[in-house]
Amino acid sequence: MTKYSPNEADANNGSTYTAEFLRVKGLAERGVANAQHSLGFMYFNGQGVAQSFELAVVWYRQAAQAGLEHAQYNLGVMYQKGQGVEQNFEEAAAWYRLAAEQGYAAAQYNLGWLYAKGQGVPNDTQQAMYWFSKAAEQGDAGAQNNLGMMYDTGKGVPQDFKQAIFWYRKAAEQGYARAQFNLGLRYDNGQGVPQDVGQAMSWYRKAADQGYAPAQFNLALRFDKGDGIAQDSQKAILWYRRAAEQDHASSQFNLGLIYDNGQGVPRDEQKALDWYRKAAEQGHAAAQNNLGLRYDHGQGVEQDYEQAHFWYRKAAEQGFPGAQYHLGLLYDAGHGVVADHQEAIFWYRKAADQGHLRAQFDLGLRYETGRGVPQDYRKAMGWYRRAAEQDYVAAQYSLGLLYDNDDGPQPDCRQAHHWYHKAAEQGHTQAQFALGLRYDNGLGVAQDYAQAHHWYLQAASQGHTRAQFNLGLMFLAGQGVRSDAAQAWMWLTMAERAGYNAAARYLPNAASRMDPVQLAQVRERMELLPG
């Protein structure tokens, strides 16, 4: 950050400087350089005279040409900021250099910044490092922090976390908030120092107490997650709010989440919406996505697909995968936009390439069905696999189906079994039934009625009608389980009630194996079941 003091010193507008102004003016007009500088300062701040940046430049220039480093520095500031003169970084650099070569630390610091940014001088990290070092050695805290950052990132010098810590500490011990925050980060991450949450929190707190928003945010995160410290929602909210009120976008977004979820505060959709909007208007992609979701689903606002499209696109263009996927859905459905399947696929692919599971699955489905793209089972398998390998259960089942298809691109019983099993273990009903069938009939695996019974039971318990029917038959025949007419009758009845008519043919057989009392008890139990 470029320094601008002392021009920005307190002007003490309530005091009268007229007499002093006249005295200084007289000396300045007689060529006294210090008086010329002081007169420029008075014009800059409006002390004893109407404020005039143009006249401030006139008098700073006279003092600067006389070699006064303070004036050279202030004239550089005027050119850098475009105050009283047209903004001109080359002129700013020239005047800073004159002051810097006289050992003026603030000018050395600002000249370093110009080299770091390539403003008015070539972008040159070595020169930036040189001038920051000059200022840092004189105790300039901002320069010390910047040196720390250069060592931290390896920009212009070999990366050296210990040197970074050395310079951060120098600045931090002078109360420089940004360096305190940076030192906290290093303790947080254990870079250049042993990881120490207590030290991290201590330095964050020092910076946060000075109003440094990133440090307030990091403190809030720690209290929010209870990461290394006791979780404390109220302290998290306090620090998020302090940073949010300084327009710290991530803090605003997190406050939105807190009100959305009612975490430590009463749930309040309107406050959540307000904080999301504040963050979104600053370009926070996740907030833009959440705002889009609100308009998309009419949550806390009137449903408005055009607004949903507006905010999704803002986030999507920043590469936010959730927004890219939702934007694709809008184009698919023609909500708020003209339906355009090619545009939908474009955004699905953007999200899928970043690992968005639902987008990968939907692309797989598109290629499998040929909706909006030429049908291509191999591409379908490719997209399903990417999602399946990240444990997306629907993709695991769909991949199993493609391997199970004799007319598919790569029929493979073992692969089908593998992916059905993955999905079944996550509770996917159809996959559980498919596994049951494979064990029941010895499809790609050794026939195993006990395993068939196990997986049918899992699927039947979730309401899968054919699994209920098959389970009933297994209890009736004693396959993989001890024969049990009551269990058979119960599962067959469930299947019959759900509309699987074949079950009715076997109910009399199951009923005939029970005495009237037992059948009455089973019927009574069935009456208590829903549906």
Side-chain angles (χ1 to χ4, degrees), residues 433 437 456 463-471 495 500:
F433 175 69
L437 273 181
Y456 282 151
H464 192 284
T465 306
R466 279 198 62 196
Q468 291 169 342
F469 173 70
N470 286 9
L471 193 59
Y500 198 73

Side-chain angles (χ1 to χ4, degrees), residues 12-125:
N12 293 320
N13 290 328
S15 301
T16 301
Y17 287 92
T18 304
E20 178 65 8
F21 169 77
L22 292 173
R23 184 188 73 80
V24 169
K25 187 171 185 289
L27 291 171
E29 288 172 343
R30 290 198 294 274
V32 178
N34 280 323
Q36 291 168 338
H37 175 261
S38 296
L39 188 59
F41 185 81
M42 287 178 162
Y43 274 115
F44 183 89
N45 291 296
Q47 290 181 343
V49 67
Q51 187 181 55
S52 171
F53 290 153
E54 289 76 11
L55 286 171
V57 168
V58 168
W59 289 106
Y60 281 153
R61 189 183 303 280
Q62 291 193 44
Q65 288 171 339
L68 194 66
E69 68 272 21
H70 295 74
Q72 292 166 341
Y73 167 74
N74 277 354
L75 191 56
V77 169
M78 302 295 274
Y79 274 108
Q80 186 172 355
K81 296 180 75 172
Q83 291 177 316
V85 288
E86 186 176 344
Q87 189 177 48
N88 187 319
F89 292 116
E90 289 83 0
E91 280 289 318
W95 290 109
Y96 284 151
R97 187 180 302 279
L98 289 173
E101 288 172 348
Q102 294 190 68
Y104 195 70
Q108 293 168 337
Y109 175 89
N110 282 13
L111 187 57
W113 259 114
L114 292 183
Y115 275 110
K117 293 182 175 182
Q119 291 180 326
V121 290
N123 182 274
D124 189 330
T125 54

